[in-house]
Amino acid sequence: MSHLADDGASGEPRRGFLTHILAAGIGLLVGTVPVLAGLAFFLDPLMRKKAGAAGDGFLKMPVTLEALEVNGEPQLVKIIMDKVDAWNTYLQQPVGSAYLRRTDKDKVVAFNSRCPHLGCTVDYKTAEKIYFCPCHASAFAVDGQKQNEIPPRGLDTLDVEVRNGSEIWVKFQQFRAGPSDKIPVG
Ligand code: FES
């Protein structure tokens, strides 16, 4: 009996204290969850961007070194890769194209096919051996140098590596159309 009476007398303030602690904990949890969710929402694209940037940024081209003749005609290849904007990743999207030209036994030169004037896609004219832009008649030599005063600069070169003997890997990049300097976009 006296045992129960003791518990009642000394347990009251303790229960009150525990109730306060519990209430404070629940309050903290309720307040923290939305903050953490918001933080995750903000960080998500940044984290995805980091994940998308894994590797060295080079893409394996759908042609091999053997498929290109030394000093032969440039070959146009479509560039398919994951596209990331501020909040979304679009898997395997066409993002542009590049001309590949083999200039030596194990050397390949790559150009972004976008005209540096205003961004149309340039064609390669086999007979004249020039790249030509149908939009405003920019012309470029086979080595990418501009051939008239219309384009602000030559064709934009891309980094290329030959790996494992015959694989062609390109670091695809877009550049701003208009300026005389080659300025990467993004
Ligand atoms: S966009 Fe190519 S010449 Fe203007």
Side-chain angles (χ1 to χ4, degrees), residues 2-172:
S2 66
H3 177 71
L4 285 174
D6 280 355
D7 263 356
S10 64
E12 199 55 52
R14 204 164 49 224
R15 263 201 303 277
F17 176 72
L18 288 174
T19 306
H20 281 303
I21 292 286
L22 195 63
I26 289 171
L28 189 67
L29 197 67
V30 167
T32 308
V33 166
V35 171
L36 290 177
L39 197 63
F41 182 69
F42 260 111
L43 290 177
D44 186 45
L46 301 176
M47 284 154 72
R48 265 185 281 142
K49 247 182 197 168
K50 212 177 248 182
D56 57 8
F58 279 78
L59 294 170
K60 187 179 173 188
M61 296 292 102
V63 290
T64 59
L65 196 61
E66 293 78 31
L68 302 174
E69 191 187 329
V70 176
N71 289 322
E73 194 164 314
Q75 188 160 330
L76 186 65
V77 287
K78 279 203 177 105
I79 304 294
I80 310 284
M81 58 193 289
D82 294 351
K83 217 168 151 181
V84 181
D85 65 17
W87 302 105
N88 297 299
T89 299
Y90 305 93
L91 299 176
Q92 297 298 287
Q93 299 294 308
V95 294
S97 53
Y99 280 103
L100 305 178
R101 185 167 167 266
R102 189 174 176 184
T103 55
D104 210 336
K105 195 165 62 76
D106 54 2
K107 186 149 192 279
V108 174
V109 171
F111 295 115
N112 190 318
S113 67
R114 248 181 121 222
C115 177
H117 180 226
L118 291 177
C120 294
T121 299
V122 299
D123 300 325
Y124 182 73
K125 294 202 170 291
T126 306
E128 295 97 325
K129 290 194 163 68
I130 58 164
Y131 297 96
F132 181 78
C133 181
C135 291
H136 313 97
S138 281
F140 307 87
V142 74
D143 65 358
Q145 296 298 306
K146 64 182 203 154
Q147 295 294 284
N148 57 28
E149 291 311 308
I150 301 162
R153 60 180 188 269
L155 290 178
D156 295 315
T157 51
L158 299 166
D159 291 343
V160 189
E161 285 185 7
V162 175
R163 298 179 182 175
N164 303 316
S166 66
E167 296 170 2
I168 301 170
W169 291 73
V170 169
K171 197 167 199 170
F172 188 73

